[in-house]
Amino acid sequence: MQNTKTQDTLVGLFVVIGIAAICFMAFKISNLSSFSKQNVYTITARFENSGGLKIKSPVSIAGVRIGRVSKISVDKDSYESIVEMYINSQYKLPDDTTASIFTAGLLGEQYVSLEPGGSEEVINPNGVIDITQSAIVLEEMIGQFLFKDPVDN
Amino acid sequence: MIYFIQKIGNRTISFFSKFGRSAIFLIQMLIACVAVIFRPKLLLTQLYSVGVLSFMIITISGLFVGMVLALQGYYILSDFGADETLGLMVASSLVRELGPVVSALLFAGRAGSALTAEIGLMKATEQLSGMEMMAIDPIDRIIAPRFLAGFISMPLLAALFSSIGVIGGQLVGVVILGVDEGSYWSQMQSNLDFYDDIVNGIIKSIVFGFAISWIALFEGYDTLPTSEGVSRATTRTVVNSAFVILGLDFILTALMFGDI
């Protein structure tokens, strides 16, 4: 058996390195630091069709990620898709912001892109974005292209 | 014919009685864990032999597993021009599956077998009965510190395995194969979630640590007190741990990540 002091030191070192590894996973591998629940607020947007949008899909302005989708549900009356998203609270959005669903690349994941307008008023927490543009469904576009009325051309 | 049926009956009864003994053993062990708090010295010694001595095998295997993942992943991903997602691929497979499972398998081979052999030999040389004669409960004194040590070390070792693996993947992917370093880390960070991925991986490794320590200690405690009995118990520890780890991994994955 080794000297007890060396053993103590090695065990202490082992535990410290283990905990450091967990912290490394938390902050370097995942994104614990960037979106904690405290400094976000929720806004809602209604889309005719939210396409392949998923929970945790990115929400971005000018290509910069400022939040993520938190909940997607269907309106019982109008059958619209209701998309709730968390926005980092350091970003204030004007109330005439438009929301559109785009696809990153041809086959990439879908994301919500916000286009701020020129209004002075900002959207409050739990506010609603009124102007939206639905996801582009590739099959529909191909269908339109293929079966377009030849007389139009 | 009768002999055959008798044999089946015998097997069934011995299986269930062993299962029952192991459950009673688990309860005794968990109660005894409270007593360990008053003897941190015992726990420390066991943490050294179970955790610190497994440190090398875990870090070196983690490094190589991460490097191989990056190498294999790169060839497939670069066909699709998606080699920036290499970091995501390496990290998510390590954090979710390979980290907890491979480190648990290594841990069962490295530490579990040693625990079984140690306790089995203590039983074979009647050290355990000797302690009972002196009114010292061997479960308090011998079993519980080892169980706690296994339970504590396993998540730490699995976290270490995953972290080292990601760094190994970065070494191969970024330094040798020339994937962009920024996208290696940013793809990983933006797509892995702390609660869904990291915490679930840690929960997995905690469950595995619990199962391995339980199996290893019970097999040692329940062994036939002969040299052959000890050798069989050691083999059973490694084989059963491997089964239990892989089986539990499927169940946990289905519960955590699947929609089953």
Side-chain angles (χ1 to χ4, degrees):
Chain A
M1 175 130 317
Q2 289 197 9
N3 185 359
T4 346
K5 276 225 172 111
T6 346
Q7 206 179 11
D8 287 2
T9 322
L10 287 173
V11 171
L13 213 62
F14 167 66
V15 173
V16 168
I17 292 175
I19 292 171
I22 293 177
C23 294
F24 174 81
M25 295 208 296
F27 294 110
K28 196 81 203 215
I29 297 181
S30 76
N31 51 357
L32 183 64
S33 48
S34 54
F35 289 114
S36 52
K37 275 246 166 88
Q38 286 86 31
N39 51 18
V40 296
Y41 64 98
T42 314
I43 57 171
T44 318
R46 288 159 166 273
F47 292 96
E48 214 171 280
N49 182 346
S50 62
L53 205 66
K54 291 190 209 65
I55 289 171
K56 282 195 212 124
S57 292
V59 176
S60 60
I61 283 187
V64 181
R65 183 172 171 161
I66 60 155
R68 60 188 157 85
V69 173
S70 62
K71 192 178 159 199
I72 299 175
S73 53
V74 174
D75 189 313
K76 282 197 195 103
D77 302 321
S78 65
Y79 301 109
E80 282 174 325
S81 156
I82 305 171
V83 176
E84 276 178 31
M85 36 204 157
Y86 290 139
I87 306 290
N88 202 327
S89 50
Q90 60 175 308
Y91 301 106
K92 299 280 174 244
L93 303 168
D95 67 352
D96 56 351
T97 300
T98 42
S100 342
I101 298 176
F102 289 140
T103 310
L106 196 58
L107 300 168
E109 59 169 357
Q110 296 200 301
Y111 66 97
V112 179
S113 172
L114 299 178
E115 197 76 34
S119 169
E120 300 281 310
E121 310 274 307
V122 293
I123 299 180
N124 294 318
N126 300 320
V128 180
I129 294 181
D130 300 317
I131 319 163
T132 61
Q133 187 195 329
S134 286
I136 295 166
V137 180
L138 207 60
E139 288 88 331
E140 275 179 16
M141 277 184 57
I142 294 172
Q144 278 173 2
F145 179 72
L146 285 181
F147 302 111
K148 206 158 49 175
D149 195 356
V151 181
D152 280 358
N153 294 340
Chain B
M1 189 66 199
I2 292 287
Y3 170 75
F4 188 64
I5 291 175
Q6 258 180 353
K7 202 164 180 187
I8 294 178
N10 187 8
R11 282 281 172 83
T12 318
I13 290 172
S14 68
F15 173 77
F16 278 107
S17 69
K18 187 169 186 183
F19 198 73
R21 267 178 287 144
S22 74
I24 294 171
F25 177 76
L26 177 69
I27 293 167
Q28 285 177 327
M29 191 161 69
L30 290 178
I31 294 170
C33 284
V34 181
V36 179
I37 299 168
F38 302 110
R39 294 175 194 276
K41 201 74 207 164
L42 287 176
L43 177 63
L44 208 73
T45 326
Q46 291 313 317
L47 269 178
Y48 177 76
S49 68
V50 169
V52 176
L53 294 182
S54 310
F55 187 85
M56 275 320 265
I57 188 174
I58 294 285
T59 43
I60 291 174
S61 338
L63 186 70
F64 281 112
V65 167
M67 283 160 75
V68 166
L69 272 177
L71 207 57
Q72 292 282 13
Y74 178 77
Y75 289 125
I76 295 170
L77 290 174
S78 63
D79 282 351
F80 300 102
D83 43 353
E84 325 65 86
T85 53
L86 184 70
L88 172 63
M89 192 216 117
V90 171
S92 59
S93 46
L94 273 171
V95 166
R96 288 181 177 181
E97 291 294 338
L98 287 174
V101 172
V102 176
S103 59
L105 290 173
L106 292 170
F107 185 73
R110 164 67 189 73
S113 58
L115 285 178
T116 309
E118 191 184 10
I119 308 244
L121 208 64
M122 278 185 181
K123 190 177 178 190
T125 54
E126 297 187 335
Q127 293 181 46
L128 294 183
S129 351
M131 289 183 104
E132 275 173 28
M133 294 292 283
M134 292 188 283
I136 299 169
D137 190 351
I139 294 199
D140 273 3
R141 184 81 193 198
I142 303 288
I143 307 286
R146 286 171 173 72
F147 175 74
L148 270 185
F151 187 63
I152 295 171
S153 321
M154 189 60 241
L156 298 180
L157 290 171
L160 208 70
F161 187 96
S162 307
S163 313
I164 298 276
V166 169
I167 293 172
Q170 195 240 18
L171 223 60
V172 169
V174 175
V175 179
I176 298 175
L177 298 172
V179 176
D180 180 46
E181 184 169 9
S183 52
Y184 183 88
W185 290 105
S186 69
Q187 285 279 344
M188 181 163 27
Q189 282 165 4
S190 62
N191 286 292
L192 285 182
D193 187 72
F194 178 67
Y195 298 101
D196 282 357
D197 296 311
I198 312 273
V199 171
N200 279 347
I202 293 174
I203 290 174
K204 267 187 184 176
S205 62
I206 292 174
V207 173
F208 294 157
F210 187 91
I212 295 169
S213 321
W214 180 19
I215 291 172
L217 293 169
F218 176 70
E219 289 290 358
Y221 195 71
D222 199 53
T223 179
L224 286 176
T226 58
S227 41
E228 199 197 349
V230 174
S231 100
R232 282 195 179 173
T234 313
T235 313
R236 269 205 306 271
T237 298
V238 177
V239 173
N240 290 353
S241 301
F243 279 146
V244 167
I245 290 164
L246 297 172
L248 276 177
D249 181 51
F250 172 72
I251 295 171
L252 289 174
T253 305
L255 287 177
M256 288 165 174
F257 301 112
D259 297 320
I260 300 175

